[in-house]
Amino acid sequence: MTDSPDLNVTFYDYLQPAATADVYTITVEQHLVRNGVRIDPVDDPVPDVADEYEIRAAQFFLDPTTVHAIYPAAGASGLYSHVLPHITLNRALLPWERQLESRSEAREPWLALLVFTEGEIEDDPEAEGVFTQRTVRELRHPGAGTLGPDLNDRVDQDLECRTIDLPASVFTAIVPREDELRYLTHMRDVETAPQRRDNGEVFAEGKYAVVAANRFPRSPGSYVVHLVSLEGWIGRLAEGSLPGNPQRVRLCSLWSWSFTNDSEGSLNPGKLLRNLMAPGKDDRENLALRLAPLGATASSPEAEHALERLRHGYTAVAYRTLSGENTYAWYRGPLTPLTAPQLPLGETDGPYTTADHALIYDREHGLFDVSYAAAWTLGRTIALADPDYSAEITAARRELANRAATLSALSSDPSRAHHDADAPPATAALREMSTADFGRGLVRALQAPLVREPSRPRAARLTRPDTRALLADARTRQSLAAVADARTPTTSPWLERLSLLRGVPFNHLVPDPRMLPPESLRAFRIDPGWIQALVAGATDVGAHTSEDRYLDPLLRQRLLRDRDTEDPAAGLLIHSELIHAWPEFDILATAEGEPVEELRRDHLAPDVLLLLWDAVPDLVVIREPGQGIHFGVNDAERISLRHLTGDRVGYPTGEEFPKADTHKTVFDYLRPGPATGVPTVLHLRGNDGLVSALSAACGLPDNEQLEPGEFALELVNAPVEQVLLPETLWCKCVADTFAQQGFGPNFGSTNPLLVKNEGPTSNVTRIAYLRFDTSYLPPADRVDRAVLRVHAAAVDAGSFDLKAHGTSNDWDEATLDWNSKPDLSATPLATARVGPVDAWTWLEFDITEYVRSRTDGGQLSVALTKGQAPRQMAGISSREAAETGLRPHLAVTIKQSTRAFGGER
């Protein structure tokens, strides 16, 4: 199934282990053979060698790390009457690692997920997930009136396991039948866009086993879910098949949790997500990180100035001037609701020893802006609080100052000016010995008579140059840079983490808690000047002398070297119980159709999540994890059918089962529950079962049934998701090709696409087809304008019109040819003029009404043609174009009252 281009989920019926858990005997026979004839004596052969080996798997205990996700979440309270609870396991092989001795030929799982309501489990009458710890011996032999699993004697009787006791009538009513087990378990292969998690870990795709329950929690109240072992229960699952007519049964429970079915529940993830987005439904500015009083009006220019500051993300903080007056100042952290202005200075000419240099004074209103001064002070505080970092940068400054003094002294002495301070000891002597006439000169000196040489005149010492003059010399700069590199091995990654705001207290990010109230989502941009001041505060540590000031630019250059990531540009803050319900979920961001890199994802508190991106996205999608998509029916109690074949596998067909005109629902395929007789348990098999009826609805022949993976696909409810829309949404081209008269499907990877018309029978006539992903578009009434944009030019003769036509999505770029091409709309949607030959430019087709009328599963196709004329052909950059900015796309403008997130002020 493909839910969207960034989420691909493939369903498999089961995962076949090479060998199931059991005891195996391996026997080795040995024979001597020569030329194919056995030569060892038959009456005295080499003895056979046999040995037993045991393959073990989980049986009575489940490692907690095996459980990837559960649905509904533990402790959740929400409307779950239309969903089937399920558990997702990291170990994809687990449900099939043990072999059930079943009469069925199909591979069956040894696990089942059972749902109980209050009063149905003797150990847990309140349905809170309680179980009883017992030994395996007590599990197998529970005593009179209670039936345990029929297990072999190879198991360790003294092992402890979690058990539950329940009435036999409840067990028989709820437990799946043998031929139903395989339809409730499948393997899922999930591929999703990489997501960065806490501490930098990247969340990637994987393989998961999913076990679903067969019971809907239709009535309000508490429910408990148990993952139970069915080993030893085969032959006892059908009604009336329990031997000895027991009063109760005892099951081994490997995992359990509880939830509440309540339409008003506060932990309903879908409801929480919708509520987070609700403030931005009419005005996206309500999702900006700011403290703006609702309905506030200004009665004076000063009050208007204060309101404007609040709208720009500032808050007022107490401030005491140097002269002692108590007043207030404006403060804004690194997270802003709009684009921060550029600082008047590029790089600081520090280092500094106080934050006064970063104060901003508003002369008109007599107030200070302490934002950058606070950032500088905070960076310095964080640096001094880290003994390793502060020791390293201080030592580097001292070593640099010592090397600069050495180089200054050497340059002032003529006899030593050529000395290389970085060279190893005795290098100068070795260099002198290596000269061409050193040997001959040494012989002459030894043979010459001893005479007293006149004393050399004392060399005049030159004035020592200062450090600024030294830095003008390339050799000196190289020497100092080598010292800086050697003395700062860890500062670069440390500063990189700081630039991602790691270690910054939450009250510096969100200075007023009213800016991020409970159950809120806030979008923001990053003020690069604030981060620059923060990093400057850390790099200015240890600077005290004029030498430090002169050497600081060189040291700063070395400190900020080798950075792996860019500074963040935008992000999200979420303060919600949703973080408890979905500890890890997908937040996908794109800009002009291309993914935006997630630099940081951190839980700043149990219910607060921070995300940082390297660019400002124009589309943000918050979605339930792909591993957690769940089973169920829609609000009409029907199944929204999905394609099982073709290139649209997994996409909705637009039809429902049962059809509305039958006045039936999926709840007509239920068998009675254990106590009240209210139907709650799925009746899957048999001619009157859900599998047979659903197979017919999917178009399968009478003698064919859905396989478990296909059945799971049909019952899947798409992940709950919400979209933050920009002013203009860019829809990517996901398929393009052209059909040519008399030619096969050869153009699916062609660039450019070609359009030509020399008559209906000419073998040079060509029609281009393009398909776009429109799955993230809002309802039709929110689409203000939709423009198809293609980069095109005339190839032969220029100045003619291209026509855009509506067409179906029933084509594939790898197989489309002239005979299989879909029909075009009789009337063109729009036209655009192609200019002179090789004059490449953007053509725009206004197809707003066509986009508003889209109905086919989140994709939309357009065909491009031209009127019949000789020697006129257009070339169009395809989605295979090397330059991504030249690829076809839809630009859709969204109706909204004010600027969306990402707008610039």
Side-chain angles (χ1 to χ4, degrees):
M1 183 197 81
T2 301
D3 184 75
S4 69
D6 48 45
L7 175 64
N8 297 300
V9 184
T10 305
F11 292 78
Y12 295 92
D13 299 339
Y14 58 86
L15 193 58
Q16 175 70 52
T20 56
D22 208 338
V23 177
Y24 295 86
T25 301
I26 299 178
T27 303
V28 179
E29 298 180 358
Q30 303 182 61
H31 301 292
L32 296 177
V33 178
R34 183 172 61 192
N35 298 328
V37 179
R38 182 174 175 179
I39 61 174
D40 58 327
V42 178
D43 56 347
D44 187 20
V46 177
D48 296 344
V49 177
D51 203 354
E52 286 190 347
Y53 296 88
E54 182 180 3
I55 297 178
R56 296 184 177 180
Q59 186 174 17
F60 302 111
F61 173 78
L62 190 64
D63 187 338
T65 61
T66 304
V67 178
H68 177 82
I70 55 177
Y71 189 88
S77 178
L79 181 60
Y80 300 115
S81 58
H82 290 57
V83 300
L84 294 170
H86 78 264
I87 185 170
T88 305
L89 304 171
N90 288 319
R91 183 167 176 78
L93 196 63
L94 180 62
W96 301 277
E97 283 186 310
R98 307 198 69 83
Q99 177 69 53
L100 292 180
E101 297 179 2
S102 169
R103 294 185 296 273
S104 173
E105 296 180 359
R107 170 67 62 182
E108 295 157 331
W110 63 282
L111 301 172
L113 202 63
L114 305 184
V115 179
F116 304 94
T117 189
E118 299 172 78
E120 291 181 347
I121 301 179
E122 295 185 3
D123 309 67
D124 187 14
E126 303 298 327
E128 297 176 343
V130 178
F131 55 86
T132 302
Q133 199 82 10
R134 296 185 175 100
T135 65
V136 173
R137 181 179 292 103
E138 293 173 307
L139 171 68
R140 295 180 63 197
H141 309 293
T146 304
L147 181 65
D150 182 17
L151 302 175
N152 58 50
D153 294 328
R154 290 197 299 266
V155 298
D156 186 345
Q157 305 294 317
D158 296 323
L159 285 176
E160 289 195 346
C161 58
R162 301 163 26 144
T163 67
I164 55 173
D165 287 353
L166 60 145
S169 59
V170 173
F171 173 78
T172 300
I174 294 177
V175 73
R177 308 307 183 221
E178 290 182 27
D179 57 352
E180 294 178 343
L181 287 174
R182 59 191 297 262
Y183 284 95
L184 298 171
T185 307
H186 67 276
M187 195 274 281
R188 234 177 245 175
D189 190 354
V190 178
E191 297 179 3
T192 185
Q195 297 290 302
R196 191 177 297 271
R197 301 169 68 180
D198 290 0
N199 302 319
E201 179 185 357
V202 175
F203 173 61
E205 61 269 5
K207 293 179 173 60
Y208 305 87
V210 180
V211 184
N214 65 338
R215 187 182 189 185
F216 288 97
R218 297 184 65 184
S219 302
S222 298
Y223 288 82
V224 62
V225 187
H226 283 272
L227 180 68
V228 302
S229 168
L230 291 184
E231 194 174 20
W233 290 100
I234 294 302
R236 304 175 172 186
L237 304 182
E239 188 172 1
S241 62
L242 292 177
N245 194 25
Q247 296 179 352
R248 65 186 65 84
V249 299
R250 179 168 292 174
L251 300 175
C252 174
S253 173
L254 299 172
W255 198 262
S256 64
W257 75 94
S258 62
F259 66 92
T260 302
N261 183 31
D262 178 9
S263 61
E264 301 300 324
S266 62
L267 279 181
N268 184 331
K271 183 178 179 180
L272 287 172
L273 186 53
R274 287 189 292 271
N275 288 342
L276 287 177
M277 300 298 184
K281 183 177 181 180
D282 299 321
D283 187 351
R284 293 292 176 184
E285 294 297 330
N286 291 332
L287 298 180
L289 186 68
R290 57 162 59 95
L291 182 62
L294 296 176
T297 57
S299 58
S300 65
E302 292 76 13
E304 177 59 35
H305 171 74
L307 286 176
E308 185 69 11
R309 282 279 182 161
L310 294 177
R311 285 192 289 267
H312 288 183
Y314 285 90
T315 187
V317 294
Y319 183 71
R320 186 173 183 176
T321 65
L322 292 177
S323 56
E325 292 91 348
N326 289 321
T327 180
Y328 74 93
W330 293 113
Y331 172 78
R332 185 175 68 187
L335 319 181
T336 75
L338 44 83
T339 302
Q342 291 284 339
L343 293 178
L345 298 177
E347 297 183 0
T348 65
D349 53 354
Y352 296 95
T353 56
T354 72
D356 290 350
H357 74 284
L359 285 172
I360 300 173
Y361 183 64
D362 182 354
R363 292 179 180 274
E364 182 179 355
H365 299 91
L367 293 172
F368 282 98
D369 180 342
V370 299
S371 303
Y372 298 137
W376 185 92
T377 302
L378 177 63
R380 187 177 184 85
T381 303
I382 294 174
L384 292 174
D386 187 328
D388 295 332
Y389 172 83
S390 56
E392 183 173 299
I393 192 171
T394 302
R397 288 193 185 277
R398 300 286 71 78
E399 188 66 25
L400 269 177
N402 292 339
R403 175 58 60 89
T406 300
L407 294 176
S408 177
L410 291 176
S411 64
S412 65
D413 190 337
S415 64
R416 302 173 62 194
H418 65 280
H419 179 71
D420 187 356
D422 294 320
T427 301
L430 289 174
R431 187 184 302 112
E432 185 176 349
M433 292 173 63
S434 65
T435 57
D437 60 345
F438 175 77
R440 291 190 295 271
L442 179 61
V443 171
R444 288 196 300 270
L446 293 174
Q447 293 176 346
L450 295 176
V451 296
R452 183 183 295 273
E453 292 186 359
S455 59
R456 296 182 178 180
R458 190 169 184 176
R461 186 173 296 275
L462 303 178
T463 303
R464 289 191 179 188
D466 62 16
T467 304
R468 287 176 293 184
L470 280 175
L471 291 174
D473 180 64
R475 182 180 169 189
T476 300
R477 289 183 61 86
Q478 181 179 357
S479 176
L480 293 171
V483 173
D485 284 340
R487 294 295 181 179
T488 57
T490 66
T491 51
S492 183
W494 191 95
L495 291 170
E496 186 172 341
R497 291 192 297 271
L498 183 64
S499 67
L500 293 177
L501 304 177
R502 296 191 183 276
V504 175
F506 185 72
N507 64 331
H508 280 75
L509 302 177
V510 182
D512 192 309
R514 291 172 293 177
M515 300 172 74
L516 187 69
E519 297 307 320
S520 65
L521 175 148
R522 295 294 181 261
F524 55 82
R525 285 178 176 251
I526 295 290
D527 181 356
W530 201 97
I531 292 185
Q532 180 182 346
L534 177 74
V535 173
T539 56
D540 287 352
V541 167
H544 301 293
T545 67
S546 58
E547 289 287 295
D548 294 333
R549 184 179 187 84
Y550 299 147
L551 295 169
D552 185 72
L554 187 144
L555 177 62
R556 190 183 299 271
Q557 178 184 358
R558 311 315 297 174
L559 293 179
L560 301 178
R561 68 189 183 276
D562 303 331
R563 298 197 57 181
D564 294 330
T565 59
E566 298 293 330
D567 285 342
L572 279 181
L573 272 169
I574 302 176
H575 182 190
S576 172
E577 288 296 318
L578 179 72
I579 309 304
H580 288 304
W582 292 346
E584 302 292 346
F585 56 95
D586 295 343
I587 300 182
L588 307 170
T590 59
E592 297 187 1
E594 297 299 322
V596 172
E597 183 180 358
E598 190 174 293
L599 301 178
R600 180 186 175 192
R601 178 185 289 219
D602 261 332
H603 286 80
L604 304 182
D607 57 352
V608 177
L609 181 69
L610 169 69
L611 285 97
L612 298 178
W613 294 300
D614 69 343
V616 179
D618 56 24
L619 174 67
V620 178
V621 179
I622 304 176
R623 184 176 58 209
E624 182 180 4
Q627 299 86 332
I629 56 179
H630 50 271
F631 297 110
V633 296
N634 59 28
D635 293 339
E637 301 174 357
R638 298 186 177 90
I639 296 173
S640 300
L641 297 180
R642 297 174 181 270
H643 289 283
L644 295 176
T645 59
D647 62 345
R648 302 285 294 161
V649 171
Y651 281 95
T653 65
E655 299 180 0
E656 291 183 333
F657 168 83
K659 292 185 177 181
D661 57 10
T662 66
H663 304 291
K664 296 181 67 176
T665 71
V666 171
F667 290 165
D668 290 310
Y669 295 89
L670 302 179
R671 62 177 189 247
T676 63
V678 176
T680 58
V681 181
L682 278 174
H683 173 50
L684 294 177
R685 300 294 284 147
N687 294 332
D688 59 343
L690 177 61
V691 173
S692 295
L694 188 56
S695 299
C698 292
L700 272 65
D702 293 340
N703 60 342
E704 291 188 20
Q705 299 280 292
L706 290 169
E707 292 299 321
E710 296 172 325
F711 179 73
L713 176 60
E714 293 300 333
L715 261 69
V716 158
N717 281 341
V720 178
E721 68 176 28
Q722 287 290 331
V723 181
L724 279 85
L725 292 172
E727 288 179 291
T728 301
L729 185 61
W730 301 84
C731 300
K732 291 176 60 176
C733 181
V734 295
D736 59 17
T737 185
F738 63 87
Q740 182 172 347
Q741 171 73 26
F743 285 77
N746 303 319
F747 311 111
S749 58
T750 300
N751 181 49
L753 305 175
L754 298 177
V755 178
K756 193 170 186 177
N757 186 359
E758 294 200 4
T761 60
S762 172
N763 62 4
V764 296
T765 296
R766 302 171 175 91
I767 300 175
Y769 287 82
L770 305 97
R771 185 159 62 234
F772 301 89
D773 175 23
T774 57
S775 59
Y776 291 143
L777 291 185
D781 60 355
R782 295 284 307 283
V783 174
D784 186 32
R785 186 167 182 259
V787 176
L788 166 65
R789 302 183 77 241
V790 296
H791 195 246
V795 177
D796 296 331
S799 298
F800 54 86
D801 287 338
L802 281 186
K803 304 174 183 179
H805 296 261
T807 187
S808 73
N809 291 326
D810 189 20
W811 57 275
D812 184 271
E813 66 177 8
T815 59
L816 179 70
D817 59 19
W818 190 261
N819 294 326
S820 66
K821 68 183 187 300
D823 295 333
L824 310 181
S825 60
T827 304
L829 304 174
T831 61
R833 191 73 175 174
V834 179
V837 174
D838 290 335
W840 289 86
T841 188
W842 285 101
L843 305 184
E844 295 189 346
F845 303 83
D846 189 333
I847 58 172
T848 303
E849 292 305 321
Y850 180 55
V851 172
R852 289 174 179 167
S853 65
R854 72 194 188 284
T855 59
D856 194 2
Q859 293 198 347
L860 176 143
S861 292
V862 179
L864 296 179
T865 68
K866 64 174 297 296
Q868 183 174 338
R871 295 182 56 79
Q872 288 182 347
M873 181 166 64
I876 300 168
S877 297
S878 73
R879 73 187 188 101
E880 285 80 16
E883 189 173 343
T884 58
L886 300 181
R887 296 173 183 175
H889 56 267
L890 290 179
V892 183
T893 305
I894 308 303
K895 292 180 181 177
Q896 49 200 3
S897 58
T898 122
R899 279 187 195 274
F901 160 58
E904 184 171 343
R905 290 275 186 240

